[in-house]
Structures are given as structure tokens and as C-alpha cells.
Amino acid sequence: MGAEVRSTCPYCGVGCGVLLSPDGAGGLSVRGDPDHPTNRGRLCSKGSALAETVGLGERQLVPLVHGTEAAWKDALTLVATRLRKTVEAHGPDSVAFYVSGQMLTEDYYVANKLMKGFIGSANIDTNSRLCMASTVAGHRRAFGTDTVPGTYEDLDEADLVVLVGSNLAWCHPVLYQRIMAARERRPLRLVVVDPRRTASCEGADLHLALEPGSDVALFNALLAEIARRGADDPAYVAAHVSGYAEAVAAAKASDPAITGLSPEEVRDFCDLWIGTERVVTIFSQGVNQSSSGSDKVNAILNCHLATGRIGRPGMGPFSVTGQPNAMGGREVGGLTNTLACHLEIGNPAHRAAVQAFWRSPAMPEAPGLKAVEMFRAVADGRIKALWVIHSNPAVTLPEADLVRETIAACPFVVVSDVTTRTDTARHAHVFLPATAWAEKSGTVTNSDRRISRQRAVVAAPGEARPDWRILAEVARRMGFEEGFGWTSEAEVFAEHAALSGIAGGFGLDFDISNRAGLSAADYDAMPPFRWPDGPAKQGGRFFAEGGFYHPDGKARMLPLVPRPPAAALTPEHPFRLNTGRLRDQWHTMTRTALSPRLSAHLPEPFADMHPEDAARLGLSPADLVRLTSPQGSAILRLRITSDVRPGQLFAPMHWTGETAPAARIDALVAAVTDPLSGQPESKAAAVAAARFDAAWYGFAISTTRPAPDCAYWALARTTRGYRAELAGTEAIADPEAFARALFGLPDAALQMSRDAGKGRWRMAFLRGETLLAALYLDRAPVRLMRDFLAGLPGTETCWALAGKARGDMPDPGAVVCSCYAVGRNTILRAISAEGLRSVQAIGASLSAGTNCGSCKAELAALLNEGVSEAAE
Ligand SMILES: Nc1nc2c(c(=O)[nH]1)N[C@H]1C(S)=C(S)[C@@H](COP(=O)(O)OP(=O)(O)OC[C@H]3O[C@@H](n4cnc5c(=O)[nH]c(N)nc54)[C@H](O)[C@@H]3O)O[C@H]1N2
Ligand SMILES: Nc1nc2c(c(=O)[nH]1)N[C@H]1C(S)=C(S)[C@@H](COP(=O)(O)OP(=O)(O)OC[C@H]3O[C@@H](n4cnc5c(=O)[nH]c(N)nc54)[C@H](O)[C@@H]3O)O[C@H]1N2
Ligand code: SF4
Ligand SMILES: [Mo]
């Protein structure tokens, strides 16, 4: 085993440091970096399972042109020529780049420079439009620049943390654990503002299940109450804030009943917030992904500005970033409406300075198209060449089916990805194989502005190349030799740092130009640092003493009027569909679904529905439901739970054409956006729900990847291969032939049991004594010990046909603790048999929850449940 190398986790914006030990054969082991200031050694379930996701099984390692392997020089020349010819024939705005908050800063810098400085168009936008755009817009309106004022240390020092539209326990688990740890030292209180009961509510003192989209009304109520009780900070407001009176007047005119909360709940919330000076209000996608997202952000900022609770230890508004380099992308200026380093594209002085620095031939004078508009322009032919880098828009943009068709019909599509197994890459004319996380080197910036190195520890496999190099080579082949001649990512970083000095010269916040002269060795060794990092920088915080970036140095409070979600509920589409994330999957699952451990947590796409709605619609647990919106439809497994309110549904965003083609949730979401930020409303579609009447249901296990062909299927990895849920609308004429085709086993030995009258078939395929695959068919949703069966393929077993374990081989149930693979039934059994009464006691007995701690909230929920419920 080689020496440990310091790097950064490639998933969420917490930005945890990791220590990587390559095994010399392409594999590695991963542990949390005890010296990284962000996580001090902690990792969540996804970070802990990183080693399981670095295999090459699904990678494409050679460029493809029209689906055929090609030499790099031919692929790059083709891309450069097509881009250049398209620009010559139709102007610079006929080409577009769609990039990603998961690119490294160096990749992002090169893409932005090529498009904005050399192609001369602003048609570069990023998936951060779906993620952080409303926060960027809100920050800029209030502060004059896109600055996150606080730091993670504020979470250690706060007396109250409010999570607004943030399921921190699952999406930023190490921060959630940090809050839970702080709480053991001091009386910290936690409030969750979310229409749905989430894992983050387990540790909360108060959960406000407000009406979807009504956050402005809630924070208006708080602001009005701040003013009424005289809880504002007149000195701070007088010196540093404008717009106070108008904002308060609008807040007083706004009706708190819009929130759907009781007057007592609103009062309790106001009492807590107003009565606790050290309050951090954390917000993420429940705020941003809304047609009033920017207003929601400003409604929160208003309250912190009015009370002067900003930039001091333990208090402030805190937008947590989603992607590992969402913040770095904002620093680079990767959004179409920004330039570089927090400079403005619409500001002639900024533009001239950047143009001089880049020695650029052509610069756009105005913002280009934001993500949703960009794909509309592809659809109507204004954009004729599209390059997608490090994102999967055919799945994650609203109206995803339309976007997929748009990409398929675009005359020239380039996709840079690590795998061709994505709904977007499938339509690439040119596929460019990028190096993946452990193979590439650069920097990322996390939620609290800390810049950390990502370091390559594994040699680039096959012909894969880093994204920045691919971009620079295309630029050079387009004739821009001079601006793109770097030989290492260290040189790209140094140039970015130098450019930030121009921003600093304009008095802007983002200035890391003290690193412009960095040598390659300095860059290699660069420890994590947070900007601003000079000695007099207020502990890394902004705005305690004012110093905002509007010309008058003051912040703006804004008068805000609540608006409901754009998609109106109607008798045809009566349900509000909320969407979001699961603990152990990352977006479109191209990496996390490679890990059997992570796949075991929630192996199938689902829709959560309240029991009253299910009863009214005559639905039972484990039914399949079809959700339909004016934009599209999806088939999902029904979960009946009072975690969601009546009239609301929740479904995860993760499944795709590769994993469950009928469950692409963005197919249902209308492409309505916040008017200021252009961010889509991903959490408030209007949908209908009805039982999906399948003629048959099936469950399959297999050592190799099955190839389902039916109306509904969902595939997940297991330690022994794969498991799949299946359902079809037409009776299967020949079940054996169906099963053989599904598994690609034309002549394996078959054991079968059937009850043809009931439509029940059980088929096990064997080589010698070894189980290769098994299929269970029924006319109703199949009842089986799935988690037990998933462990059988590849073993010599006689239990496959039984479909369940012997009494002394208990079914562990779905995995709750993915670090120690402890299942739900195991935990419930231990709770009742051993009389366990605390999360710690479960840990002591089963180890569950004692490594990364991401499952502690679920363990707490099982404790409540387990006392009354016996394990199945
Ligand atoms: N496990 C995991 N972690 C991740 C990711 C992942 O894919 N998987 N992705 C990362 C990325 S890119 C991001 S952006 C973050 C996102 O992190 P989060 O924002 O925490 O995640 P979401 O689940 O999208 O949404 C958060 C919550 O918003 C709630 N919500 C919906 N509508 C409203 C509303 O009108 N008001 C309020 N107050 N709440 C509402 C939802 O019920 C949901 O619980 O997670 C990051 N971390
Ligand atoms: N309904 C709904 N829709 C949503 C959301 C929601 O909450 N609800 N959330 C939105 C948000 S916040 C986000 S951030 C987006 C995320 O959406 P996307 O960015 O579209 O999703 P990812 O799966 O992260 O896509 C990343 C792609 O990059 C590839 N990749 C991995 N490593 C590399 C590399 O090193 N180089 C290159 N070139 N490619 C690589 C992966 O294989 C994958 O195909 O989804 C948005 N869409
Ligand atoms: S919290 Fe988890 S996913 Fe996020 S950076 Fe840390 S280890 Fe990675
Ligand atoms: Mo995101």
C-alpha cells in the first residue's frame, strides 16, 4: 500500500477532506482526513463508500465519434472544426456549453474563458442554475455580490439552527453531525422548515410543515414580528442597511395564514428566532428550487439584516452549496450572467479589464441563455452545437423527456463524461472520455469558501483525459493557441488567482491573487484555505461591520410579496409533487449506484403518499402508482406514510433510463423558473396519481446485469450482482422464455415451481449447484424476503425457490446502516429482544450508526417504531 494522499470528497458541498491509499492496481481505500478543518476525519455513507465506485466496469476510456471509437486527435479536430464553422456561419450565440458545479475550478475556468473570452458568447450555463442560482441572485440583490457571510464554525457556536428547505441529515450529513455534536456541548436548538417530515426532523425541537412554496410568508411573518417587538438592531440598520421600512411594511401586509401553519406554530418560531441572538438560518433546495426562490432567499436575509445578526460568531444566513464545487463555479463566473471572479458581465469596466487580462478577441456584452432557455434555444434551432460537460441534463432538467428529445435532435452534441451509460451521453455525436475523481487533480471550494485540493492518486485509465485539458485542446484547435497553452492545472489555477486580483482591484470580495505566483510545488502542497484569508478578515466572516458591495456600501432589504408555486393544482392534477434526494444516492447515480452498500438503502424509486389520500384512491402499500402531469408521467412504488401531508407527494430525483426508465421524475416537472434567477421550480409540480394496473409483478436476482423489457423495471446492484423489480401490462405467454431472455441464460439448468392458476412462477437458474439468477412472478406485488434473496446469486443454495429464509436464517431487511450493512429487521429485532432504548445502545449492540453516523436519524425513528412493532 502506498502512502496516503490528501484529497477532497467529490460529492456534496460540505467538502470533506479524505485520505486515499491507492492499492497499486487501480483501487484504493478511503478514510476521513483527521486534519482537514471541515470534517476532522468524519465522512458520511457516500464518502465512506468511495472506494466501491472507482472501478472501470462502466467507464468508456476511448473517444467515440458517432458511436465508434476514434483517435483523440480526430475527435478533438472534429469538435473544434464544427464549433468554429457553426460560429462562422451562424454567429457565436449558435453554440453553447452546459457545464457543472462538479467540475474542478481549473476545468470551469478554461470552459468559461473559451466561451466568454474567445468564442465571444455568454452561452455557457451550468447545472448550478438548477441548484444555487436563486441564492446567487438573492445575495447579489441584498449584498451587492454573491458572498456567503458565515463559516462552519458558526454551527459550533450557534444557539439556534434553522434548516429551511434543507434535509441536512441526508444531504450534508457531516454538517448535520457537527450540529448534533455541538448540541452535546451546549443547549443548541434545531428547527426544521419543510413541508415534509425528513430525517433531519428526528433531532429537531420544532418542525414547521409549511405549505409548499410559502417560505416568503413565514419569513415575512418573522420580520413583521421583529419590527413589532422592537427586536431589530437600529444602529446596524441605520449604518449598513437600506430598504428597512419598505420591507417591514410589505412583511406586515403579508398574511401568515398562507403558510398553512397554526398561529401558535408561527408564534413559537418567532419566539425562538427573536429570542436567540446566535441563530444560523441554513437554506438549500426547498428555498432555491422555486418560482419565488430569490424572494425566499431575500426574505431570510431580510430578517438577519434587520437584526444585524450576520457575520458574527454563531449567527447568519447560510446557504449550503450542493455540489462539491458549486462555490468554485460561482468564483470562476461559470453562470451565463456572471463574468469571472464575481465580476459582472454587464459592467463595461469589468469587461474591459477581463478582456485585457485574457487578451481576448471578442467578449459578449450581455448575459447569454440560462439553462432552461438554453435548451429551448437548442430545440428551436438557434443553438446548433452543444457541449455538455459533467452533467446529465436529459435527466435532471425540468421537462426531461422534452430535453432528451431536444438533445437527440440537436445537429451536433458533444458530451464529456466518464461513462456512456447516461441518458445524455447516449445522444452524443462525439463522446469525450474524462478522467474521474481519483484520477484528476485540481481545486474545489466548499460551502464556507474553503478551497481544497483534489489530488490524482490513480493513473488515468485507457485514454481518459482531464476535462480542462480536453477544453484547452479544443480551444487551441479552434485557433486560440495563445490563451490556452497551460501545461498543468497549477498554471490554470495561478492564472485564475491572478485574475481575481482584478476583482480585488474593483473592491470585490473574491481576491485570492496572493496565490497568483504559486509554483507547481506550492500548488501540489497547497493546504485547504478559506478566503478571505488575510489576518484582519473577521474570522473568515463578512458583514459584521457592514461593508456591503453595493455602491453605497449598504445592504438592501427588499419588500416581498408571497407567491404560490406556478403550477396550479386542478381537479385533474390535484397533488403537489415534491422531489429531492436520498441519503445514499448521488443525482443520476452514475457513481453511487456502482456501490452495493449504497444501493441497499433504498433500492427502488418510490412516491410517498399520505394514508388518507391512499385510502381515498384505494391504494395499498407496495402498489405501483402512475403519476401524471401535463408534461409527462412516471411509474413509482407507493410508500404510504404520514411524513408527507395530505395532498402532497414526494419522489426522489435519482432514477434514470439506465436504472428505472419509467421513473425519470423530471419528466413530470414543468419548466417554470424564478423570474430573476432562472432557476426551475423542481419541487412543486401539479400531478395526478392513480394505481398502475400491472398484469403481473416480478422480482429478479442475478449475478449479471439483467436486460428487462417491460413497462416498469428498476435495477440495483447487490454484493452478489443485481436485483430488479419488474412489472408489465401484458400477460407473459411463456414465463420461461421471458426469464431466459431477461437473464441472457438460454440454456442454464432451470428449477421451477408454479401455480399457473394464480399466475405465480418461481424460476431459479443454476450452473451446477450455483444459483445464477432467479425470477419470481405474481399477479399481485410479489411478497418475498428480498434482502435475503439478494444475497443468494453466486452461492450454492437451495433457498431460492422458497423465496424466503429458514426460520434460523433471518431476513435482515433493507439496509439502514450502510457502513456495517445492518438491516432494518435486524435493528427492530434487537430493539425488542434486547430492550434497546437509545441510538447509542443500538450502536453498542449492532455497531449500526457508529462509523459515519449518517443513519442515526433513521435509527432514532426505528426506536420509536420498534417499541410497538415486531420485526416481520
Ligand atoms: N445524498 C445526497 N446528498 C446530496 C446530493 C445528492 O444527490 N445526494 N446532492 C447535493 C446537491 S447538488 C444539493 S443541491 C444538495 C441539496 O440538499 P437539500 O436541499 O437538503 O436536498 P433536497 O432533498 O433536494 O431538498 C431539501 C428539502 O426541501 C424540501 N422542500 C420542498 N419544497 C419546499 C418548500 O416549498 N419550502 C421548504 N422550506 N422546503 C421545501 C423538501 O421536502 C426536501 O426535504 O444536496 C447535496 N447533497
Ligand atoms: N426534480 C428535481 N430535479 C433536480 C433537482 C431536484 O432536487 N429535483 N436538483 C437539481 C440540482 S440541485 C442539481 S445539482 C442537478 C444535478 O444534475 P446533474 O448534474 O445532471 O446530475 P449528475 O448525476 O451529478 O451528473 C453528473 C455527470 O457527470 C459525470 N461525471 C462524473 N465525473 C466526471 C468527470 O470527472 N468529468 C466529466 N466530464 N463527467 C463526469 C457523471 O457520470 C454524470 O453523468 O439536478 C437538478 N435537478
Ligand atoms: S458530507 Fe459526505 S458526501 Fe459530503 S463531502 Fe462529506 S463525505 Fe462527501
Ligand atoms: Mo445541486
Coordinates of all heavy atoms in Angstrom, one line a residue, residues 402 427 602 712:
L402 N -38.7 16.1 -22.9 CA -38.5 17.1 -24.0 C -37.0 17.4 -24.2 O -36.5 17.5 -25.3 CB -39.3 18.3 -23.6 CG -39.6 19.3 -24.8 CD1 -40.5 18.6 -25.8 CD2 -40.4 20.5 -24.2
H427 N -26.9 10.3 -26.6 CA -27.2 11.1 -27.8 C -26.0 11.9 -28.3 O -26.2 12.8 -29.1 CB -28.4 12.0 -27.5 CG -29.6 11.2 -27.1 ND1 -30.3 10.4 -28.0 CD2 -30.2 11.1 -25.9 CE1 -31.3 9.8 -27.4 NE2 -31.3 10.3 -26.1
L602 N -32.1 2.3 -0.3 CA -33.4 2.4 -0.9 C -33.3 2.0 -2.3 O -33.0 2.8 -3.2 CB -34.0 3.8 -0.7 CG -34.3 4.2 0.7 CD1 -34.4 5.7 0.8 CD2 -35.6 3.6 1.1
Y712 N -42.5 -1.4 -16.4 CA -41.8 -0.9 -15.3 C -40.6 -1.8 -14.9 O -40.8 -3.0 -14.8 CB -42.7 -0.7 -14.1 CG -42.0 -0.3 -12.8 CD1 -41.7 1.0 -12.6 CD2 -41.6 -1.3 -11.9 CE1 -41.0 1.4 -11.4 CE2 -40.9 -1.0 -10.8 CZ -40.6 0.4 -10.5 OH -39.9 0.7 -9.4

